Amino acid sequence: MQIVLEKIQKYYKVGKNRLHILKNLDLEIDFGEFIMIMGKSGSGKTTLLNSLGFLDKIDEGKYFFEGTDVSNLSESKRAEFRASYVGFIFQQFNLIDTLNVYQNVEIPLIYAGVKDKKLRKQLIEKRLDDVGLLHKASSYPNHLSGGQQQRVAIARALVNNPKIIFADEPTGALDTDTGNEVMRLLSELNNLGTTIIMVTHDPDMIKYASRVITLKDGVFEKEV
Ligand SMILES: Nc1ncnc2c1ncn2[C@@H]1O[C@H](COP(=O)(O)OP(=O)(O)OP(=O)(O)O)[C@@H](O)[C@H]1O
Ligand SMILES: [Mg+2]
């Protein structure tokens, strides 16, 4: 198994109150799966994704990533895991407007400590070519369409050869055709072996998944 969760709990403190967000979740995810996480707004989808992707820590329970217990990693260790093993894609793309396309895709390589400029160039150009945007390398994000921006974000997520891609409503801000284009790209990646864990509200996306998981108030409702 690539990911194993055992009875994880996640809370948020709000003032004096403690909100129980993820409740006693067990989950196993195998290499190469394409998982869709569905569920109503506020059910805990983003919280789960961020916990799995080392953006956030779990409060109780066990998280095993490829057999390693990562339940209690320090902030800096989590950053290391994030830089080395995972790629993130967000609804609003989260590109940096003051950097051009090439520089945006370069960021994860700099975080990961890839010092060789030539190697960085090779990796960046390959990924931009994969998403069909090599010709836009020196453009700035606000001169691109939404679909193009999301493809840059995908290139950025992929440039480190991550083992898992986490995508939080990656088609949420795109029209149907552009959304499907992004989904085809994710499917191709999945076919090449990359595990994908994606949050969506859109039932039309289910066709791309190998498994659908539904969260309801922080509990898994059913598995299809
Ligand atoms: N930093 C935070 N502090 C306090 N409460 C939070 C925090 N982040 C999220 N929450 C609460 O945790 C619950 C789950 O939030 P989460 O963002 O995981 O939901 P979601 O399923 O992703 O919703 P959506 O579909 O709207 O994106 C919600 O009730 C939310 O208000
Ligand atoms: Mg969310």
Side-chain angles (χ1 to χ4, degrees), residues 195-206:
T195 306
I196 300 186
I197 306 179
M198 166 174 160
V199 168
T200 184
H201 274 117
D202 184 352
D204 285 344
M205 296 300 155
I206 288 176

Side-chain angles (χ1 to χ4, degrees), residues 12-14 19 21 39-47 169 201:
Y12 285 124
K13 273 213 184 89
V14 179
L19 303 177
I21 307 296
K40 287 194 184 136
S41 183
S43 56
K45 305 181 297 297
T46 295
T47 305
E169 305 200 39
H201 274 117

Side-chain angles (χ1 to χ4, degrees), residues 28-116:
E28 295 193 342
I29 297 173
D30 211 346
F31 293 87
E33 287 202 81
F34 193 144
I35 306 256
M36 294 270 179
I37 303 174
M38 303 200 63
K40 287 194 184 136
S41 183
S43 56
K45 305 181 297 297
T46 295
T47 305
L48 176 60
L49 207 69
N50 290 350
S51 301
L52 290 175
F54 307 106
L55 280 172
D56 211 348
K57 65 183 210 29
I58 59 169
D59 291 310
E60 290 165 34
K62 289 281 179 199
Y63 174 11
F64 296 94
F65 183 85
E66 302 194 356
T68 304
D69 186 347
V70 293
S71 319
N72 295 305
L73 293 184
S74 64
E75 175 80 46
S76 65
K77 273 279 171 202
R78 267 191 283 124
E80 220 177 284
F81 267 73
R82 219 156 49 223
S84 314
Y85 302 126
V86 310
F88 264 95
I89 305 168
F90 303 93
Q91 181 170 2
Q92 297 302 338
F93 324 131
N94 293 14
L95 299 174
I96 297 177
D97 285 335
T98 52
L99 299 180
N100 68 24
V101 163
Y102 183 97
Q103 293 165 328
N104 267 282
V105 177
E106 190 171 33
I107 293 171
L109 294 174
I110 291 171
Y111 275 128
V114 181
K115 300 245 160 37
D116 182 342

